């Protein structure tokens, strides 16, 4: 009996379970494999990025459009990709840039990017630059200058119709175009005309007051 007990004891002593060590070694193995895989993926991604970069470097000449736009009465030559929006072209590709139209939502919901295309307000983030060729593009800069603002621009200053000012070029452009169509609007009509423009600062009452004040200055007689 004593021998049997000794055998069992010695068997246990000879092969003691060592879960923590095994777990550690397994962990090292998995972590090592994971690291190797991560290295491999990183190298692959890097190689693919280099190939894409090299291919892209060859593409621009084939994929670039050379356009001439009429912006605020000036002919502006620009090279852009076919997918480039009018807003991006004005702000990022013209030199000097035209930054009155603002990039806010970029999906046609806020009106900050409003410009006039042949006199009609459009969201320039939804118009391709290529589609503006042959049309007159008017931005807020083209409506007046600091020395000679149009009636709406003056009224916005006089009525203090802005807070952060990000929405302001869009409102000024929209209202300037609207007052040419309807030089003597009611408050309700002004509100309706501005429904495509969003002011996150909530300056609407002053904006509408400015529009009505500008109407009194007969903006429709301005060029
Ligand atoms: S940026 Fe174009 S509608 Fe908002
Ligand atoms: S003044 Fe700030 S968004 Fe209109």
């Amino acid at each position: 009996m004593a021998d049997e007990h000794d055998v069992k004891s010695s068997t246990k002593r000879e092969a003691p379970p060592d879960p923590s060590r095994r777990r550690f070694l397994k962990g090292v193995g998995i972590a090592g494999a994971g690291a190797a895989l991560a290295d491999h993926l990183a190298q692959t991604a890097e190689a693919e990025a280099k190939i894409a970069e090299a291919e892209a470097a060859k593409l621009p000449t084939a994929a670039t459009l050379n356009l001439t736009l009429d912006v605020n009465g000036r002919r502006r030559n620009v090279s852009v990709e076919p997918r480039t929006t009018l807003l991006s072209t004005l702000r990022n590709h013209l030199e000097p840039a035209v930054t009155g139209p603002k990039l806010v939502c970029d999906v046609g919901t806020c009106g900050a990017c409003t410009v006039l295309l042949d006199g009609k307000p459009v969201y320039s983030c939804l118009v391709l630059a290529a589609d503006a060729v042959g049309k007159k593009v008017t931005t807020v800069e083209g409506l007046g200058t600091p020395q000679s603002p149009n009636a709406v621009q003056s009224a916005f200053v006089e009525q203090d119709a802005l807070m952060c000012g990000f929405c302001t070029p869009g409102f000024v452009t929209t209202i300037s175009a609207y007052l040419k169509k309807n030089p003597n609007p009611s408050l309700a009509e002004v509100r309706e005309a501005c429904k495509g423009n969003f002011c996150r600062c909530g300056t609407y009452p002053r904006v509408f007051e400015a529009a009505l004040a500008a109407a009194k200055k007969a903006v429709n007689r301005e060029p």
Side-chain angles (χ1 to χ4, degrees), residues 8 37-38 40-41 61 105 119-120 140 142 150 173 191-193 199 207 210 215-216 223:
K8 280 181 184 169
L37 180 61
H40 173 70
L41 291 176
T61 45
C105 71
K120 289 188 186 153
V140 72
N150 82 357
T173 307
R191 291 168 65 104
E192 177 70 14
C199 175
V207 167
K216 291 186 184 149

Side-chain angles (χ1 to χ4, degrees), residues 140-151:
V140 72
E141 291 95 333
L143 298 172
T145 64
Q147 296 73 32
S148 179
N150 82 357

